[in-house]
Amino acid sequence: MGRLFGTDGVRGRANADLTPELAMAVAIAATQALFERDHSHAPLAVVGRDPRASGEMLEAAVVAGLTSAGANVIRVGVLPTPAVAYLTGVLSADIGVMLSASHNPMPDNGVKLFAAGGHKLPDEVEDEIERLMTEGTKVRPTGAGVGRVTDLDDGEDRYVRHLLTSLPGPLVELKVVVDCANGAASSAAPEAYRRAGASVVAINADPDGLNINENCGSNHLEQLRAAVVEHGADLGIAHDGDADRCLAVTADGDEVDGDQIMAVLALAMRDGGHLKDDTLVATVMSNLGLKIAMADAGIRLLETRVGDRYVLDELRAKGLALGGEQSGHIVMPAFATTGDGVLTALHLMGRMTGTGRTLADLASVVQRLPQVLINVPVGDRAAAAKAAQVLDAAKQVEAELGGAGRVLLRPSGTEQLVRVMVEASTLAIAREAAERIAAIVRTVSPVSPV
């Protein structure tokens, strides 16, 4: 078995790659890997999901696996990923499980795991779970040792109340359009923004199990742009299927990406004396414009590998206060143990209210270099990213760009894709170079016909 865990849990096509049997096996092994029995109490697990139809099936399998391993389960229903992480902590659970494929299309699903406190698992724990799945798990309990299941009815309210305590004041005289991606935050996000004091227009907030992420949310901003202009809103907020990310658009409908959001929040936290060591953590995917803006502001930028888990590791290791990704995963450890799109949006709007400035004005601190990202479908993402022809092409492009740009190649952590990113002095140069490399990636690992 190849490594099961990607950068964000176990993910695949539900009932094909990610079967109920696999989900159950992960749950059983995770219980045994994360809980050292001291016989003083049974392990406790929190289980949530996004509204995908397959989540109902996988939830049943995961709950069966957890209880068969002796864990008591609290089902919290459809909630954002960061809400499940938060509840894992406040309910003193040993394990948190979120069933979601985040921004992926509806047929996909995933199993995200949290340890006690609501923290993502380190690589070594994931490796231990995979070892237990391969080598076989321990004898499971019977009789009174089998876990029990209860439902939590006020999980959303607890989560929203927690978010609101993080704000210094109400979001007065602010109108926001929120695109909920027909996902896990379809209820929680509009509720949080209204209770914070904003006037809210919610779109794509009617999930039916099949329409999650369908031409909406953070991967498709067209509807949000149009709605912001139509309603004369001050800004728009876009979430993905599990609401662990947040992108924004200005009153004119222009995109504000995660780099710009991080810059706005970093400056706000610095001004308030809350940016520890005047340091921001971002990944190597962040635009060079962010690094320049932070340097001009006297803020140090630390770079990590791609994946919010690596941003989290750096934040925790150094006790820092803010980090994130260009994709909109923003982490504020004072209030959350993982990326939280609703929390991010609240603080972005809080900065607007606190300064009286527009989002366009605040975001203009980052002057982005033209950047082109091509997601290339491949047969083997790891092999394609390491192929000699691909690496040679990337080196040639970097030599051509000199110091006026860069190339980044990486296999996706969740899909059979190689991501080709090029930054250059002009969009035309970046696009030509990225397409040149992408064409070679396609030839070295073509997708097998179905």
Side-chain angles (χ1 to χ4, degrees):
M1 182 176 70
R3 194 169 198 277
L4 185 64
F5 286 87
T7 56
D8 201 15
V10 179
R11 195 175 293 187
R13 195 172 181 85
N15 217 28
D17 308 309
L18 180 56
T19 62
E21 294 86 349
L22 177 58
M24 181 182 290
V26 170
I28 294 170
T31 305
Q32 296 180 357
L34 287 168
F35 186 77
E36 293 295 332
R37 291 183 184 277
D38 59 10
H39 304 290
S40 64
H41 72 286
L44 179 64
V46 169
V47 178
R49 62 182 179 88
D50 73 21
R52 291 166 210 265
S54 62
E56 300 163 2
M57 167 187 74
L58 294 174
E59 179 188 61
V62 165
V63 170
L66 292 165
T67 52
S68 76
N72 293 322
V73 174
I74 300 175
R75 287 186 303 208
V76 299
V78 174
L79 283 178
T81 289
V84 173
Y86 168 71
L87 292 170
T88 299
V90 298
L91 296 174
S92 299
D94 302 285
I95 306 163
V97 184
M98 177 66 184
L99 299 165
S100 176
S102 191
H103 62 281
N104 282 27
M106 182 278 295
D108 291 352
N109 215 321
V111 181
K112 302 184 183 185
L113 298 174
F114 297 98
H119 297 285
K120 289 195 173 184
L121 306 186
D123 289 345
E124 57 268 23
V125 175
E126 292 181 347
D127 291 341
E128 172 65 7
I129 292 171
E130 293 196 19
R131 184 190 68 79
L132 288 168
M133 293 175 64
T134 302
E135 298 179 5
T137 52
K138 301 174 184 177
V139 175
R140 298 195 293 272
T142 58
V146 174
R148 305 296 297 273
V149 183
T150 58
D151 293 311
L152 184 71
D153 296 326
D154 66 344
E156 178 182 303
D157 182 65
R158 293 191 191 202
Y159 169 62
V160 170
R161 282 192 282 113
H162 162 68
L163 295 180
L164 296 178
T165 62
S166 74
L167 286 177
L171 305 177
V172 294
E173 299 181 359
L174 199 64
K175 186 173 186 179
V176 58
V177 178
V178 54
D179 186 338
C180 301
N182 292 312
S186 292
S187 174
E191 178 70 8
Y193 305 151
R194 289 190 186 104
R195 286 167 61 176
S199 173
V200 180
V201 176
I203 64 173
N204 297 309
D206 189 21
D208 62 10
L210 306 178
N211 59 1
I212 187 170
N213 296 323
E214 186 177 7
N215 298 317
C216 59
S218 59
N219 277 14
H220 302 276
L221 297 179
E222 297 82 11
Q223 289 189 57
L224 180 61
R225 288 191 178 104
V228 167
V229 174
E230 176 188 350
H231 291 280
D234 297 290
L235 78 159
I237 295 294
H239 296 300
D240 59 341
D242 69 338
D244 63 352
R245 72 169 69 180
C246 161
L247 295 179
V249 301
T250 69
D252 293 326
D254 295 325
E255 179 181 352
V256 176
D257 69 10
D259 286 342
Q260 293 167 299
I261 293 171
M262 280 190 285
V264 172
L265 297 183
L267 291 170
M269 294 174 71
R270 183 204 62 185
D271 293 350
H274 304 302
L275 189 65
K276 176 73 180 302
D277 295 338
D278 285 343
T279 299
L280 170 67
V281 180
T283 76
V284 293
M285 285 290 287
S286 281
N287 194 281
L288 289 174
L290 175 63
K291 181 180 290 188
I292 294 168
M294 293 298 92
D296 290 345
I299 294 173
R300 182 169 62 129
L301 183 68
L302 294 182
E303 292 184 321
T304 73
R305 295 165 59 186
V306 175
D308 65 336
R309 62 184 301 165
Y310 303 113
V311 172
L312 279 161
D313 288 346
E314 192 73 9
L315 290 169
R316 294 180 68 186
K318 293 184 169 61
L320 299 173
L322 180 67
E325 297 186 283
Q326 186 185 68
S327 59
H329 289 102
I330 313 295
V331 187
M332 304 174 71
F335 310 114
T337 57
T338 188
D340 190 328
V342 183
L343 175 71
T344 299
L346 285 169
H347 282 259
L348 183 65
M349 289 187 279
R351 181 62 166 174
M352 294 173 64
T353 299
T355 61
R357 297 168 63 187
T358 66
L359 179 57
D361 184 29
L362 291 169
S364 66
V365 67
V366 176
Q367 299 298 314
R368 292 177 290 186
L369 268 69
Q371 184 183 83
V372 172
L373 173 64
I374 300 178
N375 293 318
V376 186
V378 292
D380 185 333
R381 60 192 175 193
K386 296 178 181 177
Q389 305 98 302
V390 173
L391 296 178
D392 287 345
K395 289 179 182 177
Q396 180 179 341
V397 168
E398 285 190 325
E400 293 170 2
L401 295 175
R406 63 180 180 132
V407 176
L408 183 64
L409 287 171
R410 72 175 189 92
S412 168
T414 58
E415 303 171 82
Q416 283 295 347
L417 301 171
V418 170
R419 306 194 193 281
V420 179
M421 190 272 282
V422 177
E423 285 176 353
S425 56
T426 71
L427 183 60
I429 293 173
R431 181 178 292 115
E432 187 280 330
E435 289 175 349
R436 195 190 329 160
I437 298 171
I440 297 173
V441 172
R442 293 187 186 96
T443 64
V444 300
S445 184
V447 177
S448 300
V450 177

